[in-house]
Amino acid sequence: RSSDILGLQFHLETTATSLQQMLENGKSELIPEKYIQPEEEIRNHQRFIEKNKEILFILLDRLAAEG
């Protein structure tokens, strides 16, 4: 069913450690482009990590309940 499909354009599972690793390992991909945030901007939004985790678990719980 098409109602069983969900696409996300970001990583809800990100932790402070995994974000650091992504930035270190993907540094060459952080080029000035319309849809690519600069490293500094990404680092300045770490305050969203805990809220994203809450959203992830809500989403997974709802998907499991429907399954």
Side-chain angles (χ1 to χ4, degrees):
R1 298 179 319 171
S2 62
S3 62
D4 294 337
I5 298 169
L6 175 66
L8 301 172
Q9 294 280 336
F10 52 93
H11 295 275
L12 289 171
E13 77 282 4
T14 300
T15 64
T17 300
S18 68
L19 178 61
Q20 178 64 30
Q21 291 170 339
M22 283 192 273
L23 291 172
E24 287 174 10
N25 295 320
K27 196 173 273 295
S28 65
E29 297 176 37
L30 296 175
I31 56 174
E33 289 288 337
K34 184 175 181 178
Y35 298 107
I36 299 177
Q37 294 173 298
E39 181 177 351
E40 182 178 336
E41 185 175 344
I42 295 169
R43 289 187 186 281
N44 288 337
H45 288 96
Q46 290 188 54
R47 66 186 180 279
F48 296 116
I49 289 175
E50 282 304 310
K51 185 63 176 176
N52 287 347
K53 183 178 174 183
E54 292 174 28
I55 293 168
L56 173 62
F57 284 113
I58 290 169
L59 176 62
L60 292 174
D61 287 344
R62 288 184 182 173
L63 289 171
E66 292 179 12

